[in-house]
Amino acid sequence: MCLGVPAKVVEMEEERALVDVMGSRMYVGIIFVPEVKVDDYVLLHAGQAMTIVDEQFARESIEEWRNVLDGSHGPLF
């Protein structure tokens, strides 16, 4: 199973971007989304931005991730 984590693009460089993932910042590859720009939301997998997603989807997904991490979502399986 692959999980995509939503992140907001904060800064751009040539082939990577600085993203914010629920308050943590890291650099990720952007070769799969060459059209990405600052303030876009992307789904990350294995250090790469895989696709651009809309802000509403990203915010809803982040909320679900927070619920899982806080343990307020109940068992996953």
Side-chain angles (χ1 to χ4, degrees):
M1 170 177 25
C2 296
L3 297 175
V5 179
K8 184 174 184 176
V9 176
V10 178
E11 291 179 13
M12 301 286 299
E13 292 186 8
E14 289 181 23
E15 293 182 2
R16 68 181 190 162
L18 179 65
V19 297
D20 184 291
V21 180
M22 297 189 320
S24 295
R25 290 187 173 197
M26 65 190 75
Y27 284 97
V28 299
I30 56 170
I31 63 169
F32 298 119
V33 287
E35 69 279 14
V36 73
K37 53 191 179 305
V38 172
D39 291 329
D40 281 349
Y41 285 86
V42 294
L43 283 184
L44 302 180
H45 175 69
Q48 295 293 319
M50 303 303 290
T51 188
I52 298 170
V53 295
D54 67 57
E55 185 174 352
Q56 180 179 348
F57 173 84
R59 290 185 184 279
E60 290 170 2
S61 183
I62 289 167
E63 184 63 29
E64 288 301 316
W65 274 105
R66 288 189 194 286
N67 290 338
V68 169
L69 295 173
D70 291 342
S72 60
H73 216 331
L76 294 177
F77 302 99

